[in-house]
Amino acid sequence: MTTWISVCNLSDIDPDTGVCALLNGEQVALFRWGNSDTVYAINNFDPFGKANVLSRGLIGSVGERPVVASPLYKQHFDLSTGECLEDTEKSIKVYPVRVEAGVVALGAA
Amino acid sequence: MSKKRIIVVGNGMVGHNFIDTLANAECASQFDIITFAEEARLAYDRVQLSKYFSGASAEDLALTTEADYQKQGIIYTLNEKVVAIDSHAKTVTTASGRVEGYDKLVLATGSFPFVPPIPGKDQDHCLVYRTIEDLEAISASAAVSKTGVVVGGGLLGLEAANALKQAGLETHVVEFAPRLMAVQLDEGGGKLLRRKIEELGVSVHTEKATTEIVAGEECRYRMNFADGSFLETDMILFSAGIRPQDELARQFGLDVGERGGIVINDYCQTSEADIYAIGECALWDNKIYGLVAPGYQMAKVAIEHIVSSLLTHEEPAASFQGADMSTKLKLLGVDVASIGDAHGHTAGSQSYVFNDDVEQVYKRLIVSADGKKLVGAVLVGDVEAYGTLLQLKLNDMDIPGNPANLILPVSDGSEPVGLGVSALPETAQICSCYDVSKGDIANAVQGGCCSMGDIKDATKASTGCGGCAALVKQVMDAELTALGVEVNNNLCEHFAFTRAELADIVRVKGYTTFSELLENHGSGHGCEICKPTIGSILASFNNEYVLKDELISLQDTNDIFLGNMQKDGTYSIVPRIAGGEITPEKLIVLGEVAKEYDLYTKITGGQRIDLFGAQLHQLPDIWKKLVDAGFETGHAYGKSLRTVKSCVGSTWCRYGVLDSVSMAIALENRYKGLRAPHKIKFAVSGCTRECAEAQGKDIGVIATENGWNLYVCGNGGMRPRHADLFATDLDDETLVKYIDRVLMFYVRTADRLQRTSVWMENLEGGLDYLKDVVINDKLGICDELEAGMTKVVDTYQCEWKTTIETPEKLKRFSHYINATDEDNNLLYVRERGQRRPATEQERIELVNLETAAD
């Protein structure tokens, strides 16, 4: 059974940008897709640059895939799967996320 | 079998070419290569010598380094002259008494400048122009001179005149013949060249025979001429031709020509079979070749002969059969070219002449009696046709169509007449410096080369004088097209346009948001390439607050938080210190802020102060303090104007001519905040000593006694480039006007992340075209460019001031959206009294320590 923990309002995230939320000691990068209420959640740690920065990357699309580019060295991570497009060995964790009544909540195991 | 000993006497361009080619040959391991250089340094590029006065150092001119020679196993001795040859014992003896044996001896002793026997020629400020030491002497002399004279109006003389002009002297050229460059140009060409050079401020005196040099009245010397006239000058440079350096050959029994030069056969052998001579010291068929390309050909021939006679005993494939002396060059900024028989001496030859006094272009074609073959050409002012004409001549091809079309100007809309590169035979020599044929370039493309850089690396084509660059590119492009390679300049998968095209779209349509552009001209959701690019274009033209709601998601790593992200995710802070001038009060504020937040502090190369290690949530607090103290953002995070570096200038410096600091501050305040395709750096120097290093900047300004000299499109960094002199003796207003135009034209037309240097190099027509656009308003857009810049200047805002005054924008400056904790991954150690990020190893140790302490 997933426990949903509210972390912020949807309006706290500017369209097409990211923020970082703290979830039980873990850093989670949240991205809002355009002006919509679609929000993606991946781990905030950049495995290449070894720093907690992914929430500060630019988001966009590669083909049909929604991605974030690391702000440090620009590797791409698939926002829905956490897969690293340049090196699948360096893929990262994704988190269940939902938006209800304008509130963004993360699923804790 | 023991190694064969090859001794090369002389380490000039040709001697070095011989050594380098042999050392890279497959059989290199079978040879010991020994060379003696009379000069204090290894080979350097004499062809580019005048660049020394536009800021190139001896290192920039060097063709190799001692480290390279050591790596290649070449035994070299500097400052060592060979003084004797014993062709029976096969040894040479040096000035210091060293005796070395050889299997083959190669004389590459070059030439020396001819100084006419004029009474008074040996005085202190009477100099020659050949070595870097000569240039140092010229430089020193120029520093204490106002006027300089070059004796000799040939190719080298005009190069030397350029050097004097760049050194800031009132420059004269004195020539014995009735025209300049009498060897290469006909009367019409010489006349136009003279006119152009005189317009650049160099006085030309022809048909002057100097009879003596005596003490002057106004200047240091007076030169008296045979016709009774005289000229006063502070220094004299002799550049009246070269003489082969054949002293050694002469003394030790080798055949030399009547007027000098070591006689060689088609294999470059002298009268002693084991002694070769190559380059300007060699006399082949009674001719001395004073250009570098024939010297390189001789080097190649000599190597083949040496290898075949010592190792393979096969018949050598190459022999020297004379060389084409066609030449294309820029003298004092004037394009000049000469091909083949420029004077029409060929029996029965006929001429076509095109002369445009208004545009100052002169072209003459000399064709064979039957009108089918090209035998020579002279081009002054417009040398576009050089590549085509040279190929027609070298390959003895039939002239396509009416020969006149080859030199007539192209009327609007029609294609220029020329022969396509496809018409050239595979064997056509494209690069004469390195003997690269069309076939060689085609092979390189087939082997995977697809840029000029690749081609240069693979074939060396266009790495000598560079005169063939346009042709090499045409051959490469034709070959790429033939292979079906499509050259794709699209910005990214979301926009099938170049940055310049997108800039035009934004400007013409007046877009203010990314979504309008994506919807109407793009596809997908955008990416980290197109978003910041378009963000930058929008900022260049509209200059709105970059963190505005519609714009914020376009900003890259640094811009989005108005700071420079460092490796650990913290930021550095660089307030603007215009012109590098700062009051003690403000300096103390920076110190106090740095101390309070424990920021690592370092002086930047742009005369500012960089404060490192600020966390996201600290940025607004820190900037509040800085803005309150009167600081503004320094835009160190943006692809935008960074700094205008300055020297202290005439206000304090004993040598300063103009107030460089005031100018630097004015320029920095004018252009601060201008978003561009890449960062832009300026500098202003208060005199030609150039302490601000302005020639290494995108925009460089140097004070002279007559106003400002403007340099453009230089940079440091990965591929340093000296800026080009763009305009001279400008007043403040014109200076600013030109800079406005150059920058706005750059903003409009450059590619993404293209510095001004590469942009300019890629402009068709290069520097001259840029001058045409900016100075002569060739495109009729200067008013628009200035208006664009005025808008940017008028709408400037300090982004940090706006941000700290906008509470909703401050929410994002926090590591967590749902907590006030700090990033727990940050770890620091102290070094030299300051904080820095821990290394991987230190992190492990620090974490272990903490765990142990728990």
Side-chain angles (χ1 to χ4, degrees), chain B residues 114 116 118 129 149-162 164 171-177 179-182 197 202-206 208 210 223 225 236-241 332:
Chain B
F114 168 66
I118 301 169
Y129 179 82
V149 166
V150 175
V151 177
L155 199 153
L156 277 173
L158 296 179
E159 279 285 325
N162 192 25
L164 291 191
T171 306
H172 298 263
V173 172
V174 170
E175 167 61 48
F176 179 71
R179 62 172 179 276
L180 296 173
M181 285 183 77
I197 285 175
V202 174
S203 309
V204 178
H205 313 263
T206 51
K208 295 286 179 198
T210 312
M223 301 169 71
F225 301 126
I236 298 170
L237 259 188
F238 287 105
S239 188
L332 290 143

Side-chain angles (χ1 to χ4, degrees), chain A residues 7-8 14-16 20-22 27 33 45 50-53 56 58-63 69 71-72 74 76, chain B residues 493-494 525-526 528 531-532 553 555-557 561 565-567 569 571 812 815-818 823-825 840:
Chain A
V7 289
C8 66
D14 282 326
D16 261 337
C20 174
L22 188 59
Q27 298 198 16
W33 193 248
F45 189 73
K50 298 192 168 54
N52 289 310
V53 294
R56 290 175 259 167
L58 273 165
I59 63 174
S61 61
V62 170
L72 288 170
K74 309 294 180 196
H76 299 84
Chain B
E493 66 173 82
H494 306 104
H525 200 83
E528 82 283 358
K531 283 182 175 183
S553 68
Q555 309 308 326
D556 211 345
T557 310
F561 289 106
M565 185 187 279
Q566 302 301 322
K567 60 195 290 184
Y571 291 85
R812 294 177 51 258
H815 192 75
Y816 298 109
I817 193 76
N818 62 338
D823 181 1
N824 57 4
N825 189 46
E840 289 274 306

Side-chain angles (χ1 to χ4, degrees), chain B residues 8 79 150 158 235 401 417 481 499 519 670 673 801 827:
Chain B
V8 182
N79 290 316
V150 175
L158 296 179
M235 66 174 298
V417 179
T481 315
R499 181 199 170 275
E519 199 174 302
R670 180 169 182 81
K801 185 164 188 288
L827 273 177

